[in-house]
Amino acid sequence: MLKKILFTLQLLLTLLMCAFLLIPVGMSILAGLSVNYFRGPSAGLTFKWVIQVWQDYHDAILNSLYVGVATLVLVALLGVPAGYVLARWQSRYARWIEELLTLPIALPGLASALALISVYGGMRGFRESLAFIIVGHVIFTLPFMVRAVAAACADTRIKLMEEGAASLGASFLRRFVTVVLPNIRSEIVAAALIVITLSLGEFNLTWMLHTPDTKTLPVGLADAYASLRLEIGSAYTAVFFMLIVPLLIVMQMTAQRAKVRNARGRT
């Protein structure tokens, strides 16, 4: 009986926390779809503000998508091999390198951005391009991919399968492609979704690195609210969630699938 009561209380607390977070977001989205911001949905619903967001900020939205995809590709190309090496390299230096890679997460985004500007700000062509923002996003999100891959590659089962393939004469490249990658696919996909979601939503770092021509979606959202265009800002929030929520759903499904696969592997 006591166990059931505690479970019910925990469930209620969780639901209250979700409501506390989601109700303001839902109200903001509804405001962006309302004819009048101050009267809310009772004034009627419209897509006028969403259409205006696309007309006014479509460059920022496209920039965000481009930066997010480019960041994901670079992080995958760099993070998967790095995670594998750190998992296989039995040395204290590997742990130090792993800790150094996590520093961008611990540092405020503004500090990382200032560091990049101080070193590379003089390269005008680079400074004024989307590549500058992409570099910042790669530095910020790379630890998530490296940590996920390193943890997956440290699994004893993968080590045994890799050793078995090596005993049969498989080269390192063939072992990596046919044994390691297929067995850590779920972890890579989950980390990739985290990377692209963080990239699309990153504001502090991007705000410091962007120029008027390289404005991204979160920066445009801040500009919309700063200009007191509340309907536009709320509609901008709706557009942002249209991009983010499907990624979060896929992330959850991928994580669940990985959990099921790992449970089957243990049995």
Side-chain angles (χ1 to χ4, degrees):
M1 183 67 180
L2 180 60
K3 187 176 180 180
K4 186 178 291 187
I5 292 174
L6 289 174
F7 173 79
T8 303
L9 289 174
Q10 290 174 341
L11 179 61
L12 287 174
L13 180 61
T14 302
L15 292 175
L16 285 172
M17 290 177 63
C18 290
F20 181 78
L21 293 171
L22 295 178
I23 287 176
V25 173
M27 294 301 294
S28 178
I29 292 174
L30 273 177
L33 299 175
S34 300
V35 174
N36 186 288
Y37 177 87
F38 298 99
R39 292 176 58 192
S42 61
L45 299 178
T46 179
F47 283 100
K48 173 184 176 181
W49 310 119
V50 175
I51 294 171
Q52 191 168 339
V53 165
W54 176 254
Q55 292 174 343
D56 294 347
Y57 297 101
H58 66 277
D59 287 339
I61 296 171
L62 293 176
N63 283 343
S64 275
L65 292 174
Y66 176 76
V67 169
V69 171
T71 299
L72 175 59
V73 171
L74 290 174
V75 166
L77 291 175
L78 297 171
V80 173
Y84 174 82
V85 169
L86 291 175
R88 292 290 180 269
W89 188 16
Q90 300 300 320
S91 169
R92 61 182 179 180
Y93 298 112
R95 306 287 75 81
W96 290 353
I97 293 172
E98 192 171 350
E99 292 302 322
L100 285 173
L101 284 173
T102 60
L103 276 179
I105 300 176
L107 288 174
L110 295 178
S112 299
L114 284 172
L116 287 171
I117 292 171
S118 64
V119 176
Y120 303 109
M123 303 169 63
R124 185 172 179 181
F126 178 49
R127 172 69 181 89
E128 296 177 352
S129 69
L130 282 174
F132 196 53
I133 296 176
I134 292 170
V135 168
H137 283 211
V138 168
I139 293 172
F140 175 66
T141 58
L142 184 61
F144 295 94
M145 180 66 74
V146 172
R147 282 291 180 94
V149 172
C153 290
D155 192 320
T156 306
R157 293 180 298 110
I158 296 178
K159 290 181 180 179
L160 291 175
M161 286 188 288
E162 195 176 359
E163 290 172 0
S167 67
L168 295 173
S171 64
F172 167 76
L173 182 59
R174 186 170 183 180
R175 296 197 308 269
F176 185 73
V177 173
T178 62
V179 176
V180 177
L181 291 182
N183 282 283
I184 64 171
R185 181 177 60 233
S186 297
E187 288 80 0
I188 292 175
V189 172
L193 289 168
I194 292 173
V195 167
I196 196 167
T197 303
L198 287 173
S199 179
L200 288 174
E202 167 55 36
F203 171 74
N204 290 331
L205 184 73
T206 312
W207 182 74
M208 286 291 293
L209 299 180
H210 88 284
T211 66
D213 293 329
T214 59
K215 185 182 297 183
T216 62
L217 197 151
V219 177
L221 176 60
D223 288 348
Y225 277 109
S227 64
L228 298 180
R229 301 176 68 186
L230 299 180
E231 294 90 349
I232 301 298
S234 297
Y236 210 128
T237 302
V239 172
F240 182 77
F241 272 85
M242 288 176 193
L243 295 174
I244 291 295
V245 170
L247 292 174
L248 294 176
I249 293 173
V250 173
M251 186 190 306
Q252 183 64 30
M253 292 173 60
T254 304
Q256 187 64 31
R257 195 173 302 164
K259 190 183 296 183
V260 172
R261 182 181 63 82
N262 291 334
R264 288 175 180 173
R266 293 189 187 98
T267 57

